[in-house]
Amino acid sequence: MTAGLRDEDIVEVGAGVHLVHGSDTNWVVVKDGEAATLIDSGYPGDREALLASLAKLDIAPEAVRALLITHAHGDHIGAAEHLRTTYGTDVLMHEEEVPHARREFLHQVTVGKILARAWRPGVLPWAVGAVRSGGLGAVPVAGPRAFPVAGALDLPGGPVPVHTPGHTRGHCAYHLPEHGVLVSGDALVTGHPTSRLAGPQLLPGMFHADRARTLASLAAFEAIQADTLLAGHGPVYRGDVREAVARTREHAGA
């Protein structure tokens, strides 16, 4: 165990593809030789655990070709600015998420909404953990960049951005076609401390900028060929992504 990271927190889901469990939030490492693509970066308090996960996978921080952001909530961009300024890591995201990452505006659950739901099972313990991990603080990225090209990116794993707005305006999932993997971010999760459900689902409504649009964006996943789903929260899901979408809609009452 290093920097709060246990061996079981790093799950290999395919050749060179790893899901890492941080403080209630996941990130994904795609390794190709000595180089890697990193998808999301946990809470600010996960920084040392993130660097430890790279070390465990024999990846130097300087060898991370880019950090791809699903969306700019504090529990997903916690180490982004540190990686950018310390190691020169490109921080890439959908163009509509760039101003969000700069904190020109903030679409994130408010303290008021959390307090109004504090009586619900799991909400208060999750909120305490989020505060301790720095998730409710300001963590702007000074130099975020929009994807340089449309379609597949020239990075380890050949990730293909999939725009899935709703959770935030510029939320983006990433398809890894050669690995049969979909990294769904918070467009679709497989568990969360504030939810009693297990398996594919939407996050509770308070977390979405536009829940109806989040639900509608699930249609983008139905054309994707993938049998492994890596979400921003929850365990690895093995199974056809279309089945995961169907279960999510069922849970959502859609």
Side-chain angles (χ1 to χ4, degrees):
M1 180 170 171
T2 305
L5 190 72
R6 304 167 299 176
D7 289 343
E8 58 265 35
D9 290 331
I10 302 178
V11 183
E12 185 173 13
V13 299
V17 182
H18 296 80
L19 180 72
V20 185
H21 299 294
S23 301
D24 294 333
T25 305
N26 303 326
W27 55 89
V28 175
V29 183
V30 186
K31 183 179 180 182
D32 184 1
E34 294 184 354
T37 300
L38 178 63
I39 303 176
D40 285 343
S41 65
Y43 282 102
D46 285 326
R47 181 199 299 176
E48 293 307 314
L50 184 143
L51 293 172
S53 71
L54 295 177
K56 293 276 273 185
L57 296 171
D58 295 320
I59 300 166
E62 298 87 348
V64 175
R65 292 268 308 280
L67 166 59
L68 302 181
I69 298 298
T70 60
H71 63 292
H73 283 165
D75 58 334
H76 293 260
I77 64 169
E81 185 65 3
H82 175 76
L83 293 172
R84 190 187 73 85
T85 58
T86 306
Y87 304 106
T89 310
D90 262 346
V91 181
L92 304 178
M93 62 198 70
H94 190 274
E95 62 183 359
E96 290 195 47
E97 200 68 5
V98 168
H100 193 198
R102 289 191 184 120
R103 289 300 183 256
E104 294 175 17
F105 59 87
L106 180 59
H107 286 166
Q108 187 164 293
V109 65
T110 63
V111 173
K113 286 184 177 180
I114 294 169
L115 291 176
R117 294 160 178 80
W119 59 272
R120 295 184 178 179
V123 171
L124 191 56
W126 165 79
V128 170
V131 170
R132 287 176 175 168
S133 298
L136 299 183
V139 284
V141 182
R145 295 179 54 218
F147 303 128
V149 296
L153 302 173
D154 184 19
L155 294 169
V160 180
V162 183
H163 187 208
T164 43
H167 185 65
T168 65
R169 189 183 304 160
H171 187 286
C172 216
Y174 297 94
H175 183 207
L176 307 175
E178 60 192 76
H179 298 284
V181 170
L182 175 66
V183 182
S184 63
D186 285 4
L188 184 167
V189 301
T190 57
H192 194 268
T194 63
S195 172
R196 292 181 173 182
L197 298 175
Q201 61 188 279
L202 294 185
L203 283 168
M206 68 176 176
F207 293 112
H208 302 293
D210 185 336
R211 184 182 182 278
R213 198 176 185 196
T214 304
L215 190 58
S217 284
L218 292 175
F221 293 155
E222 292 181 312
I224 289 175
Q225 298 292 320
D227 55 14
T228 301
L229 175 69
L230 306 181
H233 305 272
V236 174
Y237 176 85
R238 302 280 190 178
D240 193 302
V241 165
R242 288 165 292 192
E243 294 176 6
V245 168
R247 288 181 61 184
T248 301
R249 287 192 174 125
E250 182 180 350
H251 285 318

